[in-house]
Amino acid sequence: MTSTTALITQMARNNAWANGRIYATLADMDKTTFHAPRPGFFGSLKAMLNHIHQVDLFYIDALEQGGRGRAVYYEDEYEDVATLGHAQSVTDQRLIAFCTSLTPEMLSEHRTTQRKDLSTIERVDALLIHLFQHQIHHRGQAHVQIQDAGLAPPQLDEFHLAYDRHPDAARYDA
């Protein structure tokens, strides 16, 4: 039986792989197309992918007890695919490192998340599950935006099963 910490680490690796697939698809996208209006909660690929990155930074900071809190939202957004893709990759590696260091006891520890008007206390396992769900939710919207931009969106569900595992997924094995 696989441990909960191993499953969470696998989700962090899947997250990095899925983000890598998105950014590989967008690698040749010019700035005008990246900024162009698109359907979804955030009106462009630039806005959507910056949102994913900023929220990742917010929750990873809380998990690491880094103390930055909401300050991550006040930084300038990345303007081009390559720079944002690199920043996302660095952030994904931080999340993998955090998850790799988890012990079963750490999952029930608490972390503070700074909200607009108050701070809340959440369990580490709940923060991680929420973060993975947030990433999946908004990558689905980015998927639609990629198609709207005239590109073939990458397949993002070929990570966990041996049956149809994408060859690139092996890069994220422990």
Side-chain angles (χ1 to χ4, degrees), residues 39-59:
F41 286 179
F42 299 89
S44 67
L45 278 160
K46 173 194 171 278
M48 179 69 71
L49 296 176
N50 270 283
H51 171 74
I52 292 170
H53 182 249
Q54 287 177 328
V55 171
D56 285 1
L57 289 174
F58 175 77
Y59 283 110

Side-chain angles (χ1 to χ4, degrees), residues 58 69-71 73-74 113-120:
F58 175 77
R70 294 188 56 76
Y73 295 119
Y74 305 123
T113 57
Q114 182 185 11
R115 304 301 175 170
K116 286 183 181 177
D117 298 325
L118 62 117
S119 294
T120 60

Side-chain angles (χ1 to χ4, degrees), residues 103-120:
T103 65
E105 296 76 27
M106 288 173 68
L107 292 173
S108 61
E109 289 179 0
H110 292 87
R111 298 292 190 266
T112 301
T113 57
Q114 182 185 11
R115 304 301 175 170
K116 286 183 181 177
D117 298 325
L118 62 117
S119 294
T120 60

Side-chain angles (χ1 to χ4, degrees), residues 12-67:
R13 289 184 176 122
N14 174 74
N15 173 66
W17 171 80
N19 285 334
R21 300 263 298 147
I22 292 275
Y23 283 100
T25 299
L26 302 179
D28 295 327
M29 182 174 279
D30 61 70
K31 192 182 278 190
T32 301
T33 306
F34 188 52
H35 289 236
R38 305 270 173 233
F41 286 179
F42 299 89
S44 67
L45 278 160
K46 173 194 171 278
M48 179 69 71
L49 296 176
N50 270 283
H51 171 74
I52 292 170
H53 182 249
Q54 287 177 328
V55 171
D56 285 1
L57 289 174
F58 175 77
Y59 283 110
I60 293 168
D61 177 71
L63 290 162
E64 295 173 338
Q65 298 177 309

